[in-house]
């Protein structure tokens, strides 16, 4: 379980995300769930950054969309993100996906969530 977040960071690893979802279901009423979701959020961001950096031509749009929706879902429950991860996602995403409607929608929603008054970012 400890190695899974690192495997999730690799672009296009849908099978590992299925395992991560199963683990999340098992941890549903556990104290470890929030920590697990934070690891998943970080892995999701790093995976998106890797995807954007490696496929600048938007060839994996469906995989990117599912990752962006997962990011949005995780942000809604975790409500915090590592500042370095966030900065990397914003910079890389805007550099390579500034015309992608899904990216921009999720970025806007995430920005509103993360930059509300009491946020630490």
């Amino acid at each position: 379980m400890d190695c899974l977040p690192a495997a999730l960071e690799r672009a296009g690893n849908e099978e590992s995300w299925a395992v991560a979802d199963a683990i999340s279901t098992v941890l549903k009423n556990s104290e470890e769930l929030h920590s697990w979701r934070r690891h998943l959020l970080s892995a999701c961001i790093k995976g998106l950054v890797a995807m954007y950096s490696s496929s600048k031509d938007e060839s994996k749009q469906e995989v990117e969309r599912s990752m962006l929706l997962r990011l949005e879902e995780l942000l809604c429950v975790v409500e915090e993100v590592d500042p370095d991860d966030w900065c990397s996602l914003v910079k890389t995403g805007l550099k390579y996906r500034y015309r992608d409607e899904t990216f921009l929608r999720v970025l806007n929603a995430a920005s509103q969530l993360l930059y509300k008054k009491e946020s630490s970012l």
Side-chain angles (χ1 to χ4, degrees):
M1 189 166 109
D2 294 332
C3 298
L4 187 58
L8 295 171
E9 293 173 17
R10 291 191 289 270
N13 205 345
E14 293 84 28
E15 297 84 13
S16 295
W17 280 103
V19 173
D21 290 340
I23 292 171
S24 295
T25 302
V26 169
L27 293 175
K28 192 171 188 173
N29 295 320
S30 168
E31 294 176 6
E32 298 174 10
L33 182 60
H34 187 72
S35 174
W36 174 246
R37 285 180 172 160
R38 288 185 66 191
H39 289 297
L40 292 181
L41 178 61
S42 179
C44 185
I45 290 173
K46 289 175 181 172
L48 280 166
V49 169
M51 218 178 299
Y52 293 159
S53 298
S54 68
S55 64
K56 298 169 179 87
D57 62 353
E58 302 182 36
S59 62
K60 297 181 177 182
Q61 284 186 335
E62 283 308 310
V63 175
E64 287 179 16
R65 269 198 189 91
S66 69
M67 291 289 287
L68 284 166
L69 295 175
R70 183 179 298 278
L71 171 68
E72 187 174 30
E73 178 185 313
L74 286 167
L75 276 171
C76 287
V77 292
V78 176
E79 294 185 346
E80 59 184 300
V81 65
D82 178 74
D84 292 334
D85 289 347
W86 176 246
C87 182
S88 183
L89 175 68
V90 171
K91 287 169 74 174
T92 308
L94 287 174
K95 182 175 182 179
Y96 298 113
R97 298 298 186 268
Y98 64 92
R99 289 186 226 165
D100 182 278
E101 184 179 326
T102 306
F103 170 74
L104 294 173
R105 183 184 55 73
V106 171
L107 180 65
N108 182 40
S111 296
Q112 290 179 15
L113 178 71
L114 293 172
Y115 290 101
K116 59 186 175 187
K117 237 179 193 179
E118 62 273 4
S119 178
S120 61
L121 288 179

